[in-house]
Each structure stands twice: as structure tokens, then as C-alpha cells.
């Protein structure tokens, strides 16, 4: 399967075109490309993350683990910002869902975090996508070697697209739940998914071809062709990144022209996520 994967996408294949992103996000001109390390990012909560290192091929990357030791595992993939407060919030939330999960965040950016749109764009443009898929596989296998009998993958925006790609390219994945992101055809074809996929999108999402309603419906047709169990949910009145509900996350979304707030949609999405992962990761 991994041999086939090398034919599906090439190194550094973009998840979506930078020009397409900039059509819908504030102008990047005038920003400085300054980065801060994970250690300087705002703390997600009082919950304690265990920082580990995972080796794969000729590289080592940091990962952050929270949750019950022998619980089913879930790899949690970052947005284009990097491993910041919001993705840590999501991992803590996941670890606390019944019946309990062990959440692991791999640091795909190797310690860098974007502080504004231009930096996030710069970091995402520089990501080695093939390497990111290898990071995901190594993370899944780490969880399986450390107490988790079954492991799912979830992600948001960039991480959502990578989550769906993992259903195609990482044979050890047992279930996927992706939020507002679809991989490019060069990265992975969802029609070839091997693991069950649940996907969540906002009706007002304006990332054309990546996470808008048209992309969501196209994904649904691909998943239908795959023959695996799937669900595609579209949330009325919600825009991109609607799951980000921390005060900092809400402020950032409003600054990017996404003023919608719908706590009910967020809770519904988490409920569906919980049911999906419990269904496929329970032993």
C-alpha cells in the first residue's frame, strides 16, 4: 500500500493553492515572518501533556500526548497555524470524551507556530506533505505500541485534509474524522479510502475547492465510491474553522471575516465525533 502511495502524490504537493487561500483571507502583505516555539504558545488548559519524541526514517519529531494510558488512541492534526493553543484545546477535549481517549498531537512543523495569516501560509507552503503522512503513520504506530489497541486520526483545516489522506495512505488507521479540509487529488484520492471517514463542513465556508459545500459534496461522492462506512455533515450558518471556540480562537476568526458563533453546531459535531470514534475504536 505504501508503494502505491508513492505514486499517488509527490513530495511537497500543496493541499490547496496559495492563490486560492489568499482570495479568501486577509492580504498577507506587510507581515514579518517571525516564529515562536511550541514552548512559547499559550497553554491550552491545566491538563498535563506528556511531551515525547517519535522516530521515523532519518528524522525525529516531538509529539504531545494527553488522556487515559490504555485508551483507544486518536492522532490530532494541526491547522495551518501549527501546534498552538487551539489544537491543544481540541486534544484535551477529545481526551475527556466518554469512554476516554488517548490523544496525540504530532508536531508537523517541528516547533514553529504561525502568529498571523502570512506566517501560517508560509509554514504550510513549506510543509513536506509526504513527510507529514509518514509522521502520521509513525504517530499511529506509536500509539498502538503504547497501549492503544485501535487508533483513529482527526484534524482541522490542513489537518482535516491530511486526516482523509491518512485513510487512503496509512493502513494502520482504524477510523478518521476530518474537519473542513479535503486533500488534493495529487495527495490522495478519497475514493481509495480504506478506513471509515466522517467529515464535517460549514455551509458558509469560502475556501473554494478545499472545504466549501461543493468540495464537501464532491468528497461525499468519492467516499460513496470507496465502499467504506462514511458520513459527511454540513452545518448551516457555520463558516470555516467553526470548531475553534476559545476566546483567542474566536477573536482570530472574527479578524479573518468569520464572525459566526454557533455553540449548538460545535456540540453536535463533537457528539457525532464521539459516536463515530467510539463505534470504530472500541475493542
Amino acid at each position: 500500500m505504501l508503494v502505491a502511495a508513492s505514486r499517488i502524490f509527490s513530495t511537497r504537493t500543496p493541499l490547496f493553492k496559495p492563490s486560492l487561500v489568499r482570495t479568501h483571507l486577509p492580504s498577507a502583505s506587510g507581515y514579518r515572518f517571525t516564529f515562536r516555539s511550541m514552548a512559547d504558545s499559550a497553554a491550552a488548559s491545566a491538563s498535563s501533556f506528556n511531551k515525547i519524541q517519535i522516530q521515523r526514517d532519518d528524522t525525529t519529531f516531538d509529539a504531545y500526548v494527553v488522556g487515559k494510558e490504555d485508551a483507544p488512541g486518536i492522532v490530532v492534526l494541526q491547522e495551518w497555524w501549527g501546534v498552538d493553543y487551539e489544537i491543544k484545546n481540541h486534544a484535551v477535549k477529545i481526551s475527556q470524551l466518554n469512554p476516554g481517549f488517548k490523544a496525540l498531537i504530532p508536531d508537523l512543523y517541528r516547533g514553529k507556530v504561525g502568529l498571523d495569516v502570512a506566517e501560517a501560509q508560509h509554514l504550510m507552503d513549506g510543509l513536506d506533505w509526504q513527510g507529514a503522512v509518514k509522521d502520521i503513520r509513525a504517530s499511529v504506530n506509536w500509539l498502538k505500541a503504547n497501549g492503544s489497541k485501535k487508533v483513529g486520526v482527526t484534524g482541522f483545516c490542513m489537518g482535516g485534509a491530511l486526516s482523509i489522506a491518512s485513510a487512503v495512505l496509512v493502513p494502520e488507521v482504524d477510523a478518521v474524522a476530518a474537519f473542513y479540509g479535503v486533500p488534493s487529488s495529487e495527495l490522495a484520492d478519497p475514493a481509495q479510502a480504506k478506513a471509515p471517514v466522517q467529515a464535517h463542513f460549514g455551509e458558509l465556508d469560502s475556501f473554494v475547492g478545499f472545504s466549501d459545500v461543493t468540495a464537501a459534496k464532491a468528497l461525499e461522492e468519492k467516499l460513496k465510491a470507496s465502499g467504506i462506512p462514511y458520513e459527511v455533515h454540513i452545518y448551516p450558518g457555520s463558516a470555516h474553522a467553526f470548531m475553534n471556540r476559545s476566546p483567542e480562537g474566536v477573536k482570530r476568526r472574527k479578524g479573518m471575516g468569520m464572525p459566526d458563533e454557533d455553540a449548538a453546531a460545535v456540540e453536535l459535531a463533537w457528539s457525532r465525533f464521539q459516536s463515530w470514534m467510539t463505534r470504530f475504536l472500541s475493542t
Side-chain angles (χ1 to χ4, degrees):
M1 187 172 294
L2 287 183
V3 174
S6 66
R7 297 196 297 269
I8 293 171
F9 64 92
S10 59
T11 303
R12 300 172 70 88
T13 300
L15 294 178
F16 48 101
K17 296 178 181 178
S19 58
L20 206 161
V21 178
R22 291 179 183 132
T23 300
H24 301 291
L25 295 182
S27 171
S29 61
Y31 285 103
R32 275 188 313 119
F33 293 129
T34 54
F35 306 109
R36 68 181 169 190
S37 68
M38 173 72 191
D40 296 326
S41 298
S45 74
S47 298
S48 176
F49 281 86
N50 179 29
K51 182 179 178 181
I52 63 169
Q53 288 195 318
I54 299 176
Q55 176 98 29
R56 61 99 177 151
D57 299 334
D58 58 350
T59 185
T60 301
F61 60 92
D62 291 336
Y64 303 86
V65 183
V66 63
K68 293 170 61 176
E69 191 59 34
D70 294 325
I74 298 180
V75 177
V76 184
L77 302 176
Q78 67 200 49
E79 296 177 289
W80 69 340
W81 306 104
V83 181
D84 69 349
Y85 57 86
E86 202 69 83
I87 203 66
K88 289 194 288 180
N89 287 338
H90 292 328
V92 170
K93 172 75 174 180
I94 288 166
S95 74
Q96 295 172 345
L97 293 173
N98 286 327
F101 296 99
K102 185 176 180 180
L104 182 152
I105 310 170
D107 190 348
L108 304 181
Y109 285 168
R110 303 298 192 264
K112 293 179 178 177
V113 178
L115 304 185
D116 54 48
V117 167
E119 290 177 356
Q121 179 77 62
H122 181 71
L123 286 167
M124 188 184 69
D125 288 348
L127 182 66
D128 174 0
W129 308 115
Q130 187 170 4
V133 172
K134 290 180 179 180
D135 287 353
I136 296 167
R137 186 178 189 187
S139 299
V140 169
N141 287 331
W142 187 92
L143 283 166
K144 289 196 170 186
N146 288 272
S148 297
K149 292 181 176 64
K150 292 188 177 181
V151 176
V153 177
T154 190
F156 303 80
C157 186
M158 182 184 83
L162 284 167
S163 297
I164 294 171
S166 76
V168 179
L169 303 172
V170 181
E172 297 86 353
V173 172
D174 295 299
V176 163
F179 291 85
Y180 29 81
V182 176
S184 68
S185 58
E186 294 87 0
L187 179 63
D189 180 2
Q192 298 181 29
K194 308 299 190 299
V197 174
Q198 182 186 72
H200 306 263
F201 298 88
E203 178 192 31
L204 305 181
D205 197 314
S206 59
F207 283 78
V208 178
F210 176 70
S211 53
D212 64 337
V213 170
T214 300
K217 291 181 177 178
L219 172 66
E220 187 169 16
E221 291 304 309
K222 289 278 192 177
L223 293 175
K224 187 181 300 182
S226 75
I228 50 92
Y230 73 89
E231 293 178 359
V232 174
H233 301 288
I234 298 173
Y235 296 81
S238 293
H240 190 75
F242 66 89
M243 296 296 286
N244 294 351
R245 302 310 308 150
S246 71
E248 300 93 340
V250 170
K251 181 179 179 181
R252 181 162 66 184
R253 292 182 75 253
K254 287 182 177 180
M256 295 170 65
M258 304 171 191
D260 59 299
E261 294 188 37
D262 189 347
V266 174
E267 288 309 307
L268 178 58
W270 279 126
S271 176
R272 286 168 168 166
F273 172 95
Q274 178 181 1
S275 297
W276 187 257
M277 289 301 191
T278 301
R279 173 184 172 188
F280 290 105
L281 301 186
S282 295
T283 54

